[in-house]
Amino acid sequence: MTSTVPASLTRTAEGAALQAVLLDMDGTLVDTEGFWWEAEVEVFGDLGHRLDEAWRDVVVGGPMTRSAGYLIEVTGADVTLDEVTVLLNDRFEKRIARGVPLMPGAGRLLAELARHGIPTALVSASHRRIIDQVLESLGPHHFALTVAGDEVSRTKPHPEPYLTAAAGFGADPERCAVIEDTATGVAAAEAAGCRVVAVPSVAPIAPAAGRLVVGSLEEVDLAFLRSLVAERY
């Protein structure tokens, strides 16, 4: 985890219901879920295996260990998890070397959160090497804290990443709003006790108690996130 949280930042939301906003990266803020699938298809193609499109919904949003492990299992590829993890990260990094496209509404939302001094964290299942490269497109100044999948002992769908981010701000998870694009990420955030906005990217996500599903980040602003958390109080 990397953090640039000054002591004063955790006090900016005192007295307000919303204490922090925690955002997923791939498919939520940046349009990269397709890049990951393309990297997986290419890497396993090089190993002599063709991936079934139906497997995409299984691996989307998952941690590298789960996604790559699943693909090794279903293809029977003669490769270790450690080996394929390196191959996938290398292939993905080449795809994002020239920058990544932001999802509609992402830049506007990040700017609004920064303008109002809302503690904001990037919480991703991607490894640190990938996050740091994507931050060049997102703007690292938008995040006081970032949590990578290889920096926690248990990544999504376990709640640890979101609990780690909330603790980094000294925030109550129940007063944190999370924005996610996959069922895996939503499960992690809800298990942490956070309020969740789901913006499905590849696979659909059903509405549920304490969870709102929207079509785009264009529908999300600070007032929306504050109202989501305030419903509890």
Side-chain angles (χ1 to χ4, degrees):
M1 180 178 72
T2 63
S3 174
T4 57
V5 186
S8 60
L9 183 55
T10 58
R11 295 197 294 268
T12 60
E14 279 187 3
L18 178 67
Q19 292 183 339
V21 176
L22 317 176
L23 302 113
D24 174 55
M25 186 177 76
D26 293 298
T28 299
L29 291 176
V30 289
D31 191 7
T32 51
E33 290 291 12
F35 289 3
W36 277 114
W37 178 246
E38 290 167 5
E40 288 159 347
V41 168
E42 291 175 4
V43 166
F44 279 87
D46 291 345
L47 294 169
H49 299 275
R50 182 174 181 178
L51 300 189
D52 190 317
E53 185 71 23
W55 298 338
R56 183 175 181 179
D57 288 353
V58 179
V59 301
V60 66
M64 181 74 73
T65 51
R66 191 196 74 184
S67 299
Y70 173 82
L71 294 175
I72 291 172
E73 180 180 355
V74 295
T75 61
D78 184 19
V79 63
T80 68
L81 182 58
D82 287 343
E83 289 170 342
V84 83
T85 295
V86 172
L87 293 172
L88 288 171
N89 276 324
D90 286 347
R91 193 66 58 97
F92 185 77
E93 276 194 286
K94 289 180 181 178
R95 288 186 168 275
I96 64 174
R98 297 181 180 178
V100 294
L102 271 60
M103 298 296 285
R108 186 263 317 151
L109 178 59
L110 290 174
E112 182 182 16
L113 295 175
R115 188 166 61 250
H116 290 272
I118 303 299
T120 302
L122 187 66
V123 184
S124 177
S126 290
H127 290 188
R128 170 56 56 189
R129 59 185 282 197
I130 300 297
I131 287 181
D132 286 345
Q133 190 163 334
V134 174
L135 279 172
E136 295 178 14
S137 296
L138 281 172
H141 59 284
H142 286 122
F143 306 97
L145 185 152
T146 61
V147 179
D150 56 341
E151 295 173 340
V152 291
S153 58
R154 293 163 296 186
T155 189
K156 303 174 187 179
H158 195 276
E160 182 179 345
Y162 282 111
L163 292 173
T164 298
F169 286 133
D172 180 350
E174 293 190 356
R175 293 193 175 213
C176 295
V178 169
I179 304 178
E180 272 279 0
D181 74 304
T182 68
T184 297
V186 167
E190 290 181 342
C194 305
R195 297 288 275 185
V196 179
V197 180
V199 191
S201 61
V202 176
I205 298 173
R211 176 199 311 167
L212 291 180
V213 180
V214 300
S216 165
L217 287 179
E218 297 282 13
E219 301 175 44
V220 181
D221 59 14
L222 179 54
F224 179 95
L225 296 174
R226 280 176 167 159
S227 66
L228 179 68
V229 173
E231 289 176 1
R232 281 182 166 168
Y233 301 95

